[in-house]
Amino acid sequence: MTGYPSAEGDQRVGPGSLLAVVAAVFAACGMAEDDAGLLADSLVQADLRGVHSHGVLRVPEYVKKLRHDGVDPCGRPAVVRDAGAALVVDGRNSIGQIGSAFAMRAAIERARTTGVAAAAVRGSNHCGAMAYYALMAAEAGMIGLATTNALPTMAAWGGLDKIIGINPLGVAIPAHAEAPMVFDGAFSGSAHGKIRVFAQKGLPIPDSWAFDASGSPTTDAAAALDGLLQPVGGFKGIGLALVFGLLSSLLSDAAYGTELGNMVDGPRPGLDGHLFVAFNVAAFTDADRFRRRVDAAIREIHASRRAPGVTRIYAPGELEAETERAYRAAGIPLNAETIRDLEQTAGELGVASVLDRLAGR
C-alpha cells in the first residue's frame, strides 16, 4: 500500500503542544472548551497514527465551517428517538466530531445492557477519521463499528458524474496483549485528503487512485482533485460505498449523495449522517477468551510466510499503532504548508503564535 510522502524535512511537533494550539483555535471560534478539545484531539490523533489526510491540515477548513459556512460551534447533540438498542441522534448542526462522539458513547453505554446498540446520526457535519470512534468502543472492551456518508467524489461504475461518496468504514476489535485490530478505510483507492497531501508537496500519485475529469487514470494530484476518485476493487468498491452510504444516511433520515452538496460549492451544513454500533463482546461469549483469540489471529498473521522483499506482515491497525509510538517520542511531522496554514488561521483568530508554541514538546 502506498503511504504518505516522506516526512524528511518536515517540522517535528510535539503532540501536546499541537493539541493545545488547535484546541485554542477552535475555542476562539466559539466552541466550549471541552468541545474544542475533543475536536482538536480527533485531528491530532489522526496525525499521530499517520493518517495526515484527517489531521490538522483540516484546521482551516473546520474554522471556515464554524465561522462562515453555517456550522454551529455551540450545537448540542441529543437523542431524539430511543427504541432500546436503536438510537437516533440529532447533531443539531454541531461539527461532526461532537455528535459522533456523543453517539458512540451512547451506543457503548446502551450496549452494556442490550448487548448490541446502534446510534444513527443526522444533523451533523464532517466528522473526521472513523477509527477515532471505533476505538472508543474497543477501549471499553467492545467491538466498534463506525461509518459515515461523504460528499460525492466517485461515479457509478462506468459513469462520469460525481454522485457517490467514498463513505468510509471503521472497525476496531479489542485484543488481550496485542493492540486492537483496527480497520479504517474508504471505498476509494485513496482519500481525497490524502491526495491533498501529495498536491501540497507537488508529488505524483499512483495511477490507481483517481481519474481526471474525462475518466482516465491520472498521476497528477491536481487533476485528481478536479476529477474522480477511483473505487477500490472496481465495481465492488462502488457497491460497498453505496451500501454504507445508505446505512449512514437513511436510518437517521440524513442527506444522501448529492443532497449533501458537491466538491465545488462545498457541503450544505447540518445534513451529514453517520452510524455507530457497539457490540458488547461479553454478551456473546467469554470476553477474555475472545480477546486472547484475537491475539492468536494477529500472531498467526505475524508468523505467516512472507513474500520476497517483505520483512514484516502487519495486522490491520498495527502500522498506525507503531507510527503513534514513534511520533509520540519524536514529534509529529508537519509539512511547511500545514504549519503556514495553522499560523495564518491562528493569527486571524488572535491565538498566540503557532510557531512559538509548537517549539516545545
Side-chain angles (χ1 to χ4, degrees):
M1 179 179 293
T2 303
Y4 289 87
S6 170
E8 185 177 347
D10 287 353
Q11 180 176 333
R12 293 277 179 166
V13 175
S17 299
L18 185 60
L19 179 63
V21 166
V22 176
V25 167
F26 291 138
C29 294
M31 295 186 75
E33 184 176 339
D34 287 350
D35 288 350
L38 187 152
L39 177 55
D41 184 60
S42 74
L43 302 185
V44 174
Q45 284 295 325
D47 277 322
L48 275 169
R49 292 173 62 81
V51 187
H52 300 296
S53 59
H54 290 69
V56 300
L57 70 75
R58 290 186 178 266
V59 169
E61 170 192 336
Y62 280 11
V63 167
K64 183 173 180 288
K65 289 176 183 292
L66 292 164
R67 298 186 70 207
H68 305 296
D69 292 348
V71 176
D72 185 356
C74 301
R76 305 309 310 160
V79 174
V80 294
R81 183 168 183 163
D82 186 334
L87 305 169
V88 176
V89 171
D90 192 324
R92 303 281 173 80
N93 195 26
S94 57
I95 198 76
Q97 282 83 343
I98 305 306
S100 295
F102 176 93
M104 182 52 100
R105 291 189 189 116
I108 291 168
E109 188 59 33
R110 187 59 57 88
R112 297 189 195 281
T113 55
T114 60
V116 178
V121 183
R122 66 175 181 241
S124 189
N125 293 282
H126 190 274
C127 65
M130 293 295 99
Y132 189 74
Y133 312 105
L135 278 166
M136 290 171 62
E139 289 162 4
M142 301 185 187
I143 298 169
L145 182 151
T147 186
T148 182
N149 59 18
L151 279 178
T153 50
M154 297 195 297
W157 188 244
L160 287 176
D161 293 330
K162 290 182 183 179
I163 59 173
I164 299 171
I166 60 176
N167 305 334
L169 170 68
V171 180
I173 303 175
H176 178 71
E178 303 289 342
M181 191 179 292
V182 183
F183 171 83
D184 183 2
F187 297 107
S188 57
S190 180
H192 207 262
K194 192 170 185 178
I195 295 174
R196 283 174 56 190
V197 176
F198 278 74
Q200 283 181 342
K201 297 194 173 192
L203 296 174
I205 60 173
D207 62 7
S208 60
W209 281 11
F211 301 117
D212 62 21
S214 68
S216 299
T218 183
T219 60
D220 185 320
L225 293 174
D226 289 334
L228 295 158
L229 295 183
Q230 292 190 38
V232 63
F235 70 92
K236 294 181 180 179
I238 288 295
L240 287 166
L242 279 166
V243 166
F244 284 97
L246 292 171
L247 290 176
S248 300
S249 305
L250 273 58
L251 288 174
S252 64
D253 202 25
Y256 172 76
T258 55
E259 296 171 346
L260 285 168
N262 58 67
M263 295 301 292
V264 175
D265 302 318
R268 300 185 178 104
L271 296 183
D272 280 49
H274 327 296
L275 179 66
F276 303 97
V277 185
F279 298 85
N280 186 350
V281 173
F284 294 86
T285 187
D286 179 80
D288 186 65
R289 171 173 163 76
F290 174 89
R291 290 192 293 267
R292 291 180 186 277
R293 293 189 71 188
V294 175
D295 279 357
I298 292 170
R299 290 166 185 167
E300 185 175 37
I301 292 170
H302 295 165
S304 62
R305 291 184 300 152
R306 299 187 294 271
V310 175
T311 58
R312 178 178 174 184
I313 301 176
Y314 292 89
E318 283 190 306
L319 186 57
E320 291 85 352
E322 188 175 279
T323 298
E324 179 174 352
R325 288 192 293 271
Y327 284 1
R328 284 195 182 279
I332 299 170
L334 297 180
N335 65 48
E337 184 170 343
T338 297
I339 292 287
R340 186 168 57 249
D341 288 347
L342 275 173
E343 183 78 11
Q344 180 178 341
T345 302
E348 291 171 354
L349 291 165
V351 174
S353 172
V354 168
L355 290 178
D356 290 345
R357 297 179 66 181
L358 295 183
R361 286 285 184 264

